[in-house]
Amino acid sequence: MIHIIDTADNIVAFRALAEVTKEDFQAAVVPAIDNLVKRINEINFLLVLDTDIGNFTAGAWLQDALIGLKHLGKWNRAAIVTDTEEIISFTNGFSYVVPGEFRGFKKEEFNKALNWVEGNI
């Protein structure tokens, strides 16, 4: 399940809870990202993981990859907020392989992550 987090107009933010499916991505994430790209021509993205990464279905991973590829040159800043060190490290390394800046943050750093994605840091 993915919930939209209300934030500034220049970003899209989500909270992942329990099982995350392809349908969750199609209903919440895809339209929000498409709309953001139409409005500001870039993607500033925040995802709070309040579930284990193993709760993402194969369809969810596929949708995630398709979103990334569809807008490959539009990624500006993306933050993943979690307390899992491996995910933070993976996210931090992602900037070396794709356009845009990607950073992992601990849950206690949520406000810092949000400010960074908004461009206030």
Side-chain angles (χ1 to χ4, degrees):
M1 169 180 336
I2 295 180
H3 294 283
I4 296 173
I5 300 171
D6 288 329
T7 58
D9 290 340
N10 69 323
I11 76 169
V12 290
F14 306 94
R15 181 175 310 278
L17 303 162
E19 184 181 59
V20 178
T21 66
K22 170 185 173 181
E23 291 77 18
D24 294 327
F25 269 83
Q26 290 173 331
V29 179
V30 172
I33 287 178
D34 287 346
N35 185 40
L36 185 66
V37 169
K38 285 178 188 171
R39 285 189 298 107
I40 67 170
N41 201 36
E42 69 181 13
I43 300 169
N44 298 302
F45 177 90
L46 182 133
L47 175 63
V48 178
L49 290 176
D50 277 337
T51 189
D52 186 86
I53 202 74
N55 287 331
F56 279 67
T57 67
W61 284 114
L62 179 60
Q63 283 301 303
D64 183 52
L66 291 173
I67 291 168
L69 291 172
K70 178 180 177 184
H71 298 295
L72 189 60
K74 303 295 181 183
W75 290 91
N76 183 44
R77 287 188 170 182
I80 305 298
V81 179
T82 180
D83 282 334
T84 305
E85 287 296 331
E86 293 83 7
I87 295 171
I88 291 171
S89 294
F90 178 80
T91 303
N92 290 341
F94 217 62
S95 290
Y96 297 107
V97 235
V98 297
E101 294 180 77
F102 292 77
R103 286 193 191 170
F105 293 87
K106 292 272 194 181
K107 287 183 182 177
E108 66 193 29
E109 299 176 304
F110 173 81
N111 288 333
K112 181 178 179 181
L114 183 61
N115 284 324
W116 178 77
V117 173
E118 288 175 344
N120 296 327
I121 293 181

